[in-house]
PDB file of all heavy atoms in Angstrom:
ATOM      1  N   SER M   1       0.831  -1.212   0.000  1.00  0.00           N
ATOM      2  CA  SER M   1       0.000   0.000   0.000  1.00  0.00           C
ATOM      3  C   SER M   1       0.861   1.255   0.000  1.00  0.00           C
ATOM      4  O   SER M   1       0.558   2.221  -0.706  1.00  0.00           O
ATOM      5  CB  SER M   1      -0.926   0.000   1.224  1.00  0.00           C
ATOM      6  OG  SER M   1      -1.853  -1.060   1.145  1.00  0.00           O
ATOM      7  N   TYR M   2       1.951   1.258   0.785  1.00  0.00           N
ATOM      8  CA  TYR M   2       2.841   2.423   0.818  1.00  0.00           C
ATOM      9  C   TYR M   2       3.489   2.646  -0.548  1.00  0.00           C
ATOM     10  O   TYR M   2       3.587   3.774  -1.033  1.00  0.00           O
ATOM     11  CB  TYR M   2       3.913   2.235   1.885  1.00  0.00           C
ATOM     12  CG  TYR M   2       3.448   2.466   3.301  1.00  0.00           C
ATOM     13  CD1 TYR M   2       4.250   2.108   4.386  1.00  0.00           C
ATOM     14  CD2 TYR M   2       2.205   3.050   3.569  1.00  0.00           C
ATOM     15  CE1 TYR M   2       3.829   2.324   5.697  1.00  0.00           C
ATOM     16  CE2 TYR M   2       1.785   3.261   4.867  1.00  0.00           C
ATOM     17  CZ  TYR M   2       2.591   2.894   5.923  1.00  0.00           C
ATOM     18  OH  TYR M   2       2.166   3.105   7.210  1.00  0.00           O
ATOM     19  N   GLU M   3       3.945   1.561  -1.157  1.00  0.00           N
ATOM     20  CA  GLU M   3       4.576   1.695  -2.470  1.00  0.00           C
ATOM     21  C   GLU M   3       3.571   2.173  -3.511  1.00  0.00           C
ATOM     22  O   GLU M   3       3.879   3.016  -4.358  1.00  0.00           O
ATOM     23  CB  GLU M   3       5.197   0.361  -2.892  1.00  0.00           C
ATOM     24  CG  GLU M   3       6.395  -0.066  -2.067  1.00  0.00           C
ATOM     25  CD  GLU M   3       7.588   0.864  -2.229  1.00  0.00           C
ATOM     26  OE1 GLU M   3       7.625   1.633  -3.221  1.00  0.00           O
ATOM     27  OE2 GLU M   3       8.473   0.835  -1.366  1.00  0.00           O
ATOM     28  N   LEU M   4       2.368   1.627  -3.462  1.00  0.00           N
ATOM     29  CA  LEU M   4       1.331   2.047  -4.395  1.00  0.00           C
ATOM     30  C   LEU M   4       1.010   3.523  -4.213  1.00  0.00           C
ATOM     31  O   LEU M   4       0.863   4.270  -5.181  1.00  0.00           O
ATOM     32  CB  LEU M   4       0.068   1.201  -4.199  1.00  0.00           C
ATOM     33  CG  LEU M   4      -1.168   1.626  -5.009  1.00  0.00           C
ATOM     34  CD1 LEU M   4      -0.880   1.555  -6.499  1.00  0.00           C
ATOM     35  CD2 LEU M   4      -2.364   0.757  -4.651  1.00  0.00           C
ATOM     36  N   ALA M   5       0.919   3.950  -2.950  1.00  0.00           N
ATOM     37  CA  ALA M   5       0.603   5.349  -2.680  1.00  0.00           C
ATOM     38  C   ALA M   5       1.665   6.275  -3.256  1.00  0.00           C
ATOM     39  O   ALA M   5       1.354   7.336  -3.806  1.00  0.00           O
ATOM     40  CB  ALA M   5       0.482   5.561  -1.172  1.00  0.00           C
ATOM     41  N   PHE M   6       2.915   5.872  -3.175  1.00  0.00           N
ATOM     42  CA  PHE M   6       3.997   6.689  -3.728  1.00  0.00           C
ATOM     43  C   PHE M   6       3.863   6.780  -5.250  1.00  0.00           C
ATOM     44  O   PHE M   6       4.011   7.852  -5.838  1.00  0.00           O
ATOM     45  CB  PHE M   6       5.349   6.098  -3.332  1.00  0.00           C
ATOM     46  CG  PHE M   6       6.518   6.957  -3.739  1.00  0.00           C
ATOM     47  CD1 PHE M   6       6.897   8.032  -2.960  1.00  0.00           C
ATOM     48  CD2 PHE M   6       7.217   6.690  -4.899  1.00  0.00           C
ATOM     49  CE1 PHE M   6       7.971   8.840  -3.331  1.00  0.00           C
ATOM     50  CE2 PHE M   6       8.284   7.481  -5.286  1.00  0.00           C
ATOM     51  CZ  PHE M   6       8.669   8.559  -4.502  1.00  0.00           C
ATOM     52  N   ARG M   7       3.567   5.638  -5.889  1.00  0.00           N
ATOM     53  CA  ARG M   7       3.423   5.652  -7.349  1.00  0.00           C
ATOM     54  C   ARG M   7       2.204   6.454  -7.788  1.00  0.00           C
ATOM     55  O   ARG M   7       2.183   7.028  -8.877  1.00  0.00           O
ATOM     56  CB  ARG M   7       3.310   4.212  -7.873  1.00  0.00           C
ATOM     57  CG  ARG M   7       4.530   3.350  -7.618  1.00  0.00           C
ATOM     58  CD  ARG M   7       4.501   2.076  -8.460  1.00  0.00           C
ATOM     59  NE  ARG M   7       3.326   1.263  -8.232  1.00  0.00           N
ATOM     60  CZ  ARG M   7       3.246   0.307  -7.314  1.00  0.00           C
ATOM     61  NH1 ARG M   7       4.279   0.065  -6.512  1.00  0.00           N
ATOM     62  NH2 ARG M   7       2.146  -0.415  -7.182  1.00  0.00           N
ATOM     63  N   MET M   8       1.177   6.473  -6.941  1.00  0.00           N
ATOM     64  CA  MET M   8      -0.064   7.163  -7.287  1.00  0.00           C
ATOM     65  C   MET M   8       0.108   8.667  -7.399  1.00  0.00           C
ATOM     66  O   MET M   8      -0.696   9.341  -8.045  1.00  0.00           O
ATOM     67  CB  MET M   8      -1.134   6.867  -6.228  1.00  0.00           C
ATOM     68  CG  MET M   8      -1.755   5.490  -6.331  1.00  0.00           C
ATOM     69  SD  MET M   8      -2.780   5.134  -4.872  1.00  0.00           S
ATOM     70  CE  MET M   8      -3.969   6.466  -4.940  1.00  0.00           C
ATOM     71  N   GLN M   9       1.157   9.222  -6.791  1.00  0.00           N
ATOM     72  CA  GLN M   9       1.314  10.672  -6.765  1.00  0.00           C
ATOM     73  C   GLN M   9       1.291  11.296  -8.155  1.00  0.00           C
ATOM     74  O   GLN M   9       0.740  12.371  -8.352  1.00  0.00           O
ATOM     75  CB  GLN M   9       2.621  11.043  -6.065  1.00  0.00           C
ATOM     76  CG  GLN M   9       2.609  10.789  -4.585  1.00  0.00           C
ATOM     77  CD  GLN M   9       3.904  11.246  -3.931  1.00  0.00           C
ATOM     78  OE1 GLN M   9       3.967  12.323  -3.387  1.00  0.00           O
ATOM     79  NE2 GLN M   9       4.917  10.423  -4.019  1.00  0.00           N
ATOM     80  N   SER M  10       1.914  10.623  -9.099  1.00  0.00           N
ATOM     81  CA  SER M  10       1.948  11.169 -10.448  1.00  0.00           C
ATOM     82  C   SER M  10       0.802  10.666 -11.298  1.00  0.00           C
ATOM     83  O   SER M  10       0.301  11.380 -12.166  1.00  0.00           O
ATOM     84  CB  SER M  10       3.282  10.815 -11.126  1.00  0.00           C
ATOM     85  OG  SER M  10       3.457   9.410 -11.160  1.00  0.00           O
ATOM     86  N   ALA M  11       0.346   9.440 -11.047  1.00  0.00           N
ATOM     87  CA  ALA M  11      -0.687   8.848 -11.907  1.00  0.00           C
ATOM     88  C   ALA M  11      -2.079   9.368 -11.600  1.00  0.00           C
ATOM     89  O   ALA M  11      -2.855   9.678 -12.504  1.00  0.00           O
ATOM     90  CB  ALA M  11      -0.653   7.324 -11.782  1.00  0.00           C
ATOM     91  N   VAL M  12      -2.426   9.456 -10.301  1.00  0.00           N
ATOM     92  CA  VAL M  12      -3.793   9.800  -9.928  1.00  0.00           C
ATOM     93  C   VAL M  12      -4.198  11.208 -10.359  1.00  0.00           C
ATOM     94  O   VAL M  12      -5.257  11.388 -10.972  1.00  0.00           O
ATOM     95  CB  VAL M  12      -4.009   9.606  -8.418  1.00  0.00           C
ATOM     96  CG1 VAL M  12      -5.327  10.225  -7.965  1.00  0.00           C
ATOM     97  CG2 VAL M  12      -4.006   8.124  -8.083  1.00  0.00           C
ATOM     98  N   PRO M  13      -3.408  12.244 -10.055  1.00  0.00           N
ATOM     99  CA  PRO M  13      -3.835  13.585 -10.477  1.00  0.00           C
ATOM    100  C   PRO M  13      -4.078  13.689 -11.967  1.00  0.00           C
ATOM    101  O   PRO M  13      -5.006  14.374 -12.412  1.00  0.00           O
ATOM    102  CB  PRO M  13      -2.664  14.476 -10.023  1.00  0.00           C
ATOM    103  CG  PRO M  13      -2.030  13.734  -8.904  1.00  0.00           C
ATOM    104  CD  PRO M  13      -2.158  12.289  -9.287  1.00  0.00           C
ATOM    105  N   GLN M  14      -3.269  13.001 -12.749  1.00  0.00           N
ATOM    106  CA  GLN M  14      -3.434  13.050 -14.198  1.00  0.00           C
ATOM    107  C   GLN M  14      -4.752  12.406 -14.622  1.00  0.00           C
ATOM    108  O   GLN M  14      -5.470  12.949 -15.470  1.00  0.00           O
ATOM    109  CB  GLN M  14      -2.251  12.331 -14.875  1.00  0.00           C
ATOM    110  CG  GLN M  14      -2.316  12.345 -16.393  1.00  0.00           C
ATOM    111  CD  GLN M  14      -1.115  11.657 -17.015  1.00  0.00           C
ATOM    112  OE1 GLN M  14      -0.175  11.265 -16.317  1.00  0.00           O
ATOM    113  NE2 GLN M  14      -1.149  11.505 -18.323  1.00  0.00           N
ATOM    114  N   VAL M  15      -5.086  11.270 -14.018  1.00  0.00           N
ATOM    115  CA  VAL M  15      -6.322  10.582 -14.387  1.00  0.00           C
ATOM    116  C   VAL M  15      -7.545  11.372 -13.946  1.00  0.00           C
ATOM    117  O   VAL M  15      -8.552  11.449 -14.662  1.00  0.00           O
ATOM    118  CB  VAL M  15      -6.353   9.167 -13.763  1.00  0.00           C
ATOM    119  CG1 VAL M  15      -7.707   8.508 -14.003  1.00  0.00           C
ATOM    120  CG2 VAL M  15      -5.251   8.306 -14.362  1.00  0.00           C
ATOM    121  N   LEU M  16      -7.474  11.980 -12.758  1.00  0.00           N
ATOM    122  CA  LEU M  16      -8.635  12.673 -12.210  1.00  0.00           C
ATOM    123  C   LEU M  16      -8.760  14.114 -12.674  1.00  0.00           C
ATOM    124  O   LEU M  16      -9.740  14.788 -12.332  1.00  0.00           O
ATOM    125  CB  LEU M  16      -8.583  12.637 -10.683  1.00  0.00           C
ATOM    126  CG  LEU M  16      -8.669  11.259 -10.040  1.00  0.00           C
ATOM    127  CD1 LEU M  16      -8.674  11.372  -8.521  1.00  0.00           C
ATOM    128  CD2 LEU M  16      -9.909  10.509 -10.514  1.00  0.00           C
ATOM    129  N   ASP M  17      -7.835  14.591 -13.469  1.00  0.00           N
ATOM    130  CA  ASP M  17      -7.883  15.964 -13.960  1.00  0.00           C
ATOM    131  C   ASP M  17      -8.842  16.056 -15.146  1.00  0.00           C
ATOM    132  O   ASP M  17      -8.437  15.949 -16.302  1.00  0.00           O
ATOM    133  CB  ASP M  17      -6.484  16.427 -14.348  1.00  0.00           C
ATOM    134  CG  ASP M  17      -6.461  17.889 -14.805  1.00  0.00           C
ATOM    135  OD1 ASP M  17      -7.475  18.592 -14.571  1.00  0.00           O
ATOM    136  OD2 ASP M  17      -5.457  18.314 -15.399  1.00  0.00           O
ATOM    137  N   ILE M  18     -10.117  16.263 -14.853  1.00  0.00           N
ATOM    138  CA  ILE M  18     -11.118  16.298 -15.920  1.00  0.00           C
ATOM    139  C   ILE M  18     -11.052  17.584 -16.732  1.00  0.00           C
ATOM    140  O   ILE M  18     -11.724  17.693 -17.767  1.00  0.00           O
ATOM    141  CB  ILE M  18     -12.540  16.116 -15.357  1.00  0.00           C
ATOM    142  CG1 ILE M  18     -12.890  17.268 -14.414  1.00  0.00           C
ATOM    143  CG2 ILE M  18     -12.669  14.774 -14.642  1.00  0.00           C
ATOM    144  CD1 ILE M  18     -14.330  17.236 -13.954  1.00  0.00           C
ATOM    145  N   SER M  19     -10.238  18.548 -16.295  1.00  0.00           N
ATOM    146  CA  SER M  19     -10.106  19.782 -17.078  1.00  0.00           C
ATOM    147  C   SER M  19      -9.468  19.522 -18.430  1.00  0.00           C
ATOM    148  O   SER M  19      -9.576  20.335 -19.352  1.00  0.00           O
ATOM    149  CB  SER M  19      -9.280  20.820 -16.303  1.00  0.00           C
ATOM    150  OG  SER M  19      -7.952  20.374 -16.116  1.00  0.00           O
ATOM    151  N   SER M  20      -8.784  18.378 -18.550  1.00  0.00           N
ATOM    152  CA  SER M  20      -8.171  18.030 -19.830  1.00  0.00           C
ATOM    153  C   SER M  20      -9.185  17.495 -20.837  1.00  0.00           C
ATOM    154  O   SER M  20      -8.865  17.332 -22.014  1.00  0.00           O
ATOM    155  CB  SER M  20      -7.074  16.984 -19.608  1.00  0.00           C
ATOM    156  OG  SER M  20      -7.615  15.790 -19.073  1.00  0.00           O
ATOM    157  N   GLU M  21     -10.398  17.218 -20.380  1.00  0.00           N
ATOM    158  CA  GLU M  21     -11.451  16.735 -21.279  1.00  0.00           C
ATOM    159  C   GLU M  21     -11.999  17.893 -22.118  1.00  0.00           C
ATOM    160  O   GLU M  21     -12.103  19.026 -21.635  1.00  0.00           O
ATOM    161  CB  GLU M  21     -12.587  16.113 -20.479  1.00  0.00           C
ATOM    162  CG  GLU M  21     -12.232  14.824 -19.775  1.00  0.00           C
ATOM    163  CD  GLU M  21     -12.155  13.645 -20.744  1.00  0.00           C
ATOM    164  OE1 GLU M  21     -12.689  13.748 -21.875  1.00  0.00           O
ATOM    165  OE2 GLU M  21     -11.558  12.620 -20.356  1.00  0.00           O
ATOM    166  N   PRO M  22     -12.376  17.630 -23.366  1.00  0.00           N
ATOM    167  CA  PRO M  22     -12.990  18.680 -24.186  1.00  0.00           C
ATOM    168  C   PRO M  22     -14.237  19.243 -23.517  1.00  0.00           C
ATOM    169  O   PRO M  22     -14.945  18.532 -22.794  1.00  0.00           O
ATOM    170  CB  PRO M  22     -13.338  17.943 -25.483  1.00  0.00           C
ATOM    171  CG  PRO M  22     -12.416  16.769 -25.523  1.00  0.00           C
ATOM    172  CD  PRO M  22     -12.214  16.364 -24.089  1.00  0.00           C
ATOM    173  N   GLU M  23     -14.507  20.493 -23.763  1.00  0.00           N
ATOM    174  CA  GLU M  23     -15.651  21.155 -23.141  1.00  0.00           C
ATOM    175  C   GLU M  23     -16.961  20.450 -23.472  1.00  0.00           C
ATOM    176  O   GLU M  23     -17.842  20.323 -22.627  1.00  0.00           O
ATOM    177  CB  GLU M  23     -15.715  22.616 -23.579  1.00  0.00           C
ATOM    178  CG  GLU M  23     -16.828  23.402 -22.907  1.00  0.00           C
ATOM    179  CD  GLU M  23     -16.845  24.861 -23.304  1.00  0.00           C
ATOM    180  OE1 GLU M  23     -15.880  25.305 -23.995  1.00  0.00           O
ATOM    181  OE2 GLU M  23     -17.806  25.571 -22.941  1.00  0.00           O
ATOM    182  N   LYS M  24     -17.087  19.955 -24.690  1.00  0.00           N
ATOM    183  CA  LYS M  24     -18.333  19.298 -25.091  1.00  0.00           C
ATOM    184  C   LYS M  24     -18.556  18.005 -24.306  1.00  0.00           C
ATOM    185  O   LYS M  24     -19.694  17.608 -24.052  1.00  0.00           O
ATOM    186  CB  LYS M  24     -18.350  19.023 -26.591  1.00  0.00           C
ATOM    187  CG  LYS M  24     -17.296  18.044 -27.077  1.00  0.00           C
ATOM    188  CD  LYS M  24     -17.423  17.813 -28.586  1.00  0.00           C
ATOM    189  CE  LYS M  24     -16.391  16.796 -29.077  1.00  0.00           C
ATOM    190  NZ  LYS M  24     -16.518  16.561 -30.550  1.00  0.00           N
ATOM    191  N   VAL M  25     -17.464  17.350 -23.895  1.00  0.00           N
ATOM    192  CA  VAL M  25     -17.588  16.139 -23.082  1.00  0.00           C
ATOM    193  C   VAL M  25     -18.073  16.509 -21.685  1.00  0.00           C
ATOM    194  O   VAL M  25     -18.965  15.854 -21.121  1.00  0.00           O
ATOM    195  CB  VAL M  25     -16.254  15.373 -23.015  1.00  0.00           C
ATOM    196  CG1 VAL M  25     -16.342  14.221 -22.022  1.00  0.00           C
ATOM    197  CG2 VAL M  25     -15.865  14.858 -24.390  1.00  0.00           C
ATOM    198  N   ARG M  26     -17.491  17.535 -21.099  1.00  0.00           N
ATOM    199  CA  ARG M  26     -17.921  17.974 -19.772  1.00  0.00           C
ATOM    200  C   ARG M  26     -19.381  18.423 -19.797  1.00  0.00           C
ATOM    201  O   ARG M  26     -20.144  18.161 -18.860  1.00  0.00           O
ATOM    202  CB  ARG M  26     -17.010  19.095 -19.264  1.00  0.00           C
ATOM    203  CG  ARG M  26     -15.556  18.663 -19.080  1.00  0.00           C
ATOM    204  CD  ARG M  26     -14.778  19.618 -18.185  1.00  0.00           C
ATOM    205  NE  ARG M  26     -14.763  20.971 -18.710  1.00  0.00           N
ATOM    206  CZ  ARG M  26     -13.864  21.438 -19.569  1.00  0.00           C
ATOM    207  NH1 ARG M  26     -12.897  20.637 -20.011  1.00  0.00           N
ATOM    208  NH2 ARG M  26     -13.894  22.689 -19.979  1.00  0.00           N
ATOM    209  N   GLU M  27     -19.771  19.076 -20.862  1.00  0.00           N
ATOM    210  CA  GLU M  27     -21.172  19.496 -20.999  1.00  0.00           C
ATOM    211  C   GLU M  27     -22.088  18.286 -21.125  1.00  0.00           C
ATOM    212  O   GLU M  27     -23.196  18.278 -20.590  1.00  0.00           O
ATOM    213  CB  GLU M  27     -21.328  20.405 -22.222  1.00  0.00           C
ATOM    214  CG  GLU M  27     -20.704  21.778 -22.064  1.00  0.00           C
ATOM    215  CD  GLU M  27     -20.876  22.636 -23.308  1.00  0.00           C
ATOM    216  OE1 GLU M  27     -21.351  22.094 -24.339  1.00  0.00           O
ATOM    217  OE2 GLU M  27     -20.536  23.837 -23.268  1.00  0.00           O
ATOM    218  N   MET M  28     -21.635  17.254 -21.843  1.00  0.00           N
ATOM    219  CA  MET M  28     -22.436  16.044 -22.014  1.00  0.00           C
ATOM    220  C   MET M  28     -22.744  15.406 -20.663  1.00  0.00           C
ATOM    221  O   MET M  28     -23.845  14.905 -20.426  1.00  0.00           O
ATOM    222  CB  MET M  28     -21.695  15.047 -22.915  1.00  0.00           C
ATOM    223  CG  MET M  28     -22.428  13.729 -23.146  1.00  0.00           C
ATOM    224  SD  MET M  28     -21.567  12.650 -24.317  1.00  0.00           S
ATOM    225  CE  MET M  28     -20.160  12.133 -23.335  1.00  0.00           C
ATOM    226  N   TYR M  29     -21.788  15.448 -19.731  1.00  0.00           N
ATOM    227  CA  TYR M  29     -21.977  14.881 -18.399  1.00  0.00           C
ATOM    228  C   TYR M  29     -22.727  15.828 -17.460  1.00  0.00           C
ATOM    229  O   TYR M  29     -23.036  15.463 -16.329  1.00  0.00           O
ATOM    230  CB  TYR M  29     -20.626  14.531 -17.776  1.00  0.00           C
ATOM    231  CG  TYR M  29     -20.044  13.213 -18.258  1.00  0.00           C
ATOM    232  CD1 TYR M  29     -19.249  13.143 -19.396  1.00  0.00           C
ATOM    233  CD2 TYR M  29     -20.289  12.035 -17.561  1.00  0.00           C
ATOM    234  CE1 TYR M  29     -18.702  11.943 -19.833  1.00  0.00           C
ATOM    235  CE2 TYR M  29     -19.746  10.834 -17.981  1.00  0.00           C
ATOM    236  CZ  TYR M  29     -18.952  10.782 -19.126  1.00  0.00           C
ATOM    237  OH  TYR M  29     -18.424   9.586 -19.545  1.00  0.00           O
ATOM    238  N   GLY M  30     -22.983  17.041 -17.896  1.00  0.00           N
ATOM    239  CA  GLY M  30     -23.700  18.003 -17.063  1.00  0.00           C
ATOM    240  C   GLY M  30     -22.827  18.681 -16.025  1.00  0.00           C
ATOM    241  O   GLY M  30     -23.340  19.221 -15.038  1.00  0.00           O
ATOM    242  N   ILE M  31     -21.515  18.680 -16.243  1.00  0.00           N
ATOM    243  CA  ILE M  31     -20.597  19.302 -15.291  1.00  0.00           C
ATOM    244  C   ILE M  31     -20.687  20.822 -15.426  1.00  0.00           C
ATOM    245  O   ILE M  31     -20.660  21.373 -16.523  1.00  0.00           O
ATOM    246  CB  ILE M  31     -19.162  18.815 -15.542  1.00  0.00           C
ATOM    247  CG1 ILE M  31     -19.086  17.307 -15.290  1.00  0.00           C
ATOM    248  CG2 ILE M  31     -18.160  19.548 -14.661  1.00  0.00           C
ATOM    249  CD1 ILE M  31     -17.768  16.676 -15.677  1.00  0.00           C
ATOM    250  N   GLY M  32     -20.819  21.481 -14.276  1.00  0.00           N
ATOM    251  CA  GLY M  32     -20.942  22.932 -14.267  1.00  0.00           C
ATOM    252  C   GLY M  32     -22.358  23.423 -14.466  1.00  0.00           C
ATOM    253  O   GLY M  32     -22.582  24.616 -14.684  1.00  0.00           O
ATOM    254  N   LYS M  33     -23.337  22.497 -14.353  1.00  0.00           N
ATOM    255  CA  LYS M  33     -24.734  22.872 -14.576  1.00  0.00           C
ATOM    256  C   LYS M  33     -25.583  22.702 -13.322  1.00  0.00           C
ATOM    257  O   LYS M  33     -26.753  22.308 -13.392  1.00  0.00           O
ATOM    258  CB  LYS M  33     -25.330  22.039 -15.706  1.00  0.00           C
ATOM    259  CG  LYS M  33     -24.737  22.322 -17.080  1.00  0.00           C
ATOM    260  CD  LYS M  33     -25.452  21.516 -18.152  1.00  0.00           C
ATOM    261  CE  LYS M  33     -24.880  21.825 -19.528  1.00  0.00           C
ATOM    262  NZ  LYS M  33     -25.560  21.038 -20.600  1.00  0.00           N
ATOM    263  N   GLY M  34     -25.007  22.969 -12.174  1.00  0.00           N
ATOM    264  CA  GLY M  34     -25.780  22.933 -10.943  1.00  0.00           C
ATOM    265  C   GLY M  34     -26.102  21.527 -10.497  1.00  0.00           C
ATOM    266  O   GLY M  34     -25.245  20.799  -9.994  1.00  0.00           O
ATOM    267  N   ALA M  35     -27.346  21.088 -10.700  1.00  0.00           N
ATOM    268  CA  ALA M  35     -27.831  19.820 -10.153  1.00  0.00           C
ATOM    269  C   ALA M  35     -27.031  18.626 -10.634  1.00  0.00           C
ATOM    270  O   ALA M  35     -26.827  17.664  -9.891  1.00  0.00           O
ATOM    271  CB  ALA M  35     -29.304  19.637 -10.503  1.00  0.00           C
ATOM    272  N   THR M  36     -26.573  18.651 -11.871  1.00  0.00           N
ATOM    273  CA  THR M  36     -25.880  17.493 -12.439  1.00  0.00           C
ATOM    274  C   THR M  36     -24.372  17.533 -12.260  1.00  0.00           C
ATOM    275  O   THR M  36     -23.691  16.557 -12.572  1.00  0.00           O
ATOM    276  CB  THR M  36     -26.186  17.376 -13.951  1.00  0.00           C
ATOM    277  OG1 THR M  36     -25.794  18.608 -14.594  1.00  0.00           O
ATOM    278  CG2 THR M  36     -27.663  17.132 -14.194  1.00  0.00           C
ATOM    279  N   SER M  37     -23.841  18.631 -11.754  1.00  0.00           N
ATOM    280  CA  SER M  37     -22.390  18.809 -11.733  1.00  0.00           C
ATOM    281  C   SER M  37     -21.691  17.800 -10.829  1.00  0.00           C
ATOM    282  O   SER M  37     -20.657  17.237 -11.194  1.00  0.00           O
ATOM    283  CB  SER M  37     -22.052  20.234 -11.292  1.00  0.00           C
ATOM    284  OG  SER M  37     -20.671  20.471 -11.466  1.00  0.00           O
ATOM    285  N   ASN M  38     -22.243  17.557  -9.636  1.00  0.00           N
ATOM    286  CA  ASN M  38     -21.618  16.648  -8.677  1.00  0.00           C
ATOM    287  C   ASN M  38     -21.521  15.238  -9.241  1.00  0.00           C
ATOM    288  O   ASN M  38     -20.422  14.677  -9.371  1.00  0.00           O
ATOM    289  CB  ASN M  38     -22.425  16.648  -7.373  1.00  0.00           C
ATOM    290  CG  ASN M  38     -21.781  15.818  -6.269  1.00  0.00           C
ATOM    291  OD1 ASN M  38     -21.201  14.765  -6.499  1.00  0.00           O
ATOM    292  ND2 ASN M  38     -21.918  16.285  -5.047  1.00  0.00           N
ATOM    293  N   PHE M  39     -22.643  14.650  -9.579  1.00  0.00           N
ATOM    294  CA  PHE M  39     -22.615  13.260 -10.053  1.00  0.00           C
ATOM    295  C   PHE M  39     -22.015  13.167 -11.451  1.00  0.00           C
ATOM    296  O   PHE M  39     -21.425  12.151 -11.815  1.00  0.00           O
ATOM    297  CB  PHE M  39     -24.019  12.653 -10.026  1.00  0.00           C
ATOM    298  CG  PHE M  39     -24.004  11.152  -9.883  1.00  0.00           C
ATOM    299  CD1 PHE M  39     -23.658  10.554  -8.679  1.00  0.00           C
ATOM    300  CD2 PHE M  39     -24.307  10.338 -10.964  1.00  0.00           C
ATOM    301  CE1 PHE M  39     -23.611   9.176  -8.547  1.00  0.00           C
ATOM    302  CE2 PHE M  39     -24.267   8.948 -10.841  1.00  0.00           C
ATOM    303  CZ  PHE M  39     -23.919   8.368  -9.635  1.00  0.00           C
ATOM    304  N   GLY M  40     -22.161  14.233 -12.236  1.00  0.00           N
ATOM    305  CA  GLY M  40     -21.524  14.245 -13.547  1.00  0.00           C
ATOM    306  C   GLY M  40     -20.015  14.162 -13.432  1.00  0.00           C
ATOM    307  O   GLY M  40     -19.352  13.468 -14.212  1.00  0.00           O
TER     308      GLY M  40
END
């Protein structure tokens, strides 16, 4: 678990950075639209 956590430092932020997704994709999921933003 400790070793995995160390490796995750570079991998996880990159995967979870949804700002790299095209705007039309974020809109498709309802991100930034109030009610749908959280679950989107």
Side-chain angles (χ1 to χ4, degrees):
S1 295
Y2 283 169
E3 292 294 342
L4 174 61
F6 186 82
R7 297 195 302 270
M8 284 170 59
Q9 290 183 98
S10 58
V12 168
Q14 181 179 354
V15 173
L16 296 183
D17 183 13
I18 63 173
S19 65
S20 62
E21 292 285 342
E23 184 178 352
K24 64 179 182 180
V25 172
R26 297 198 301 272
E27 289 179 352
M28 179 176 72
Y29 280 88
I31 297 172
K33 293 184 179 180
T36 57
S37 189
N38 185 323
F39 206 72

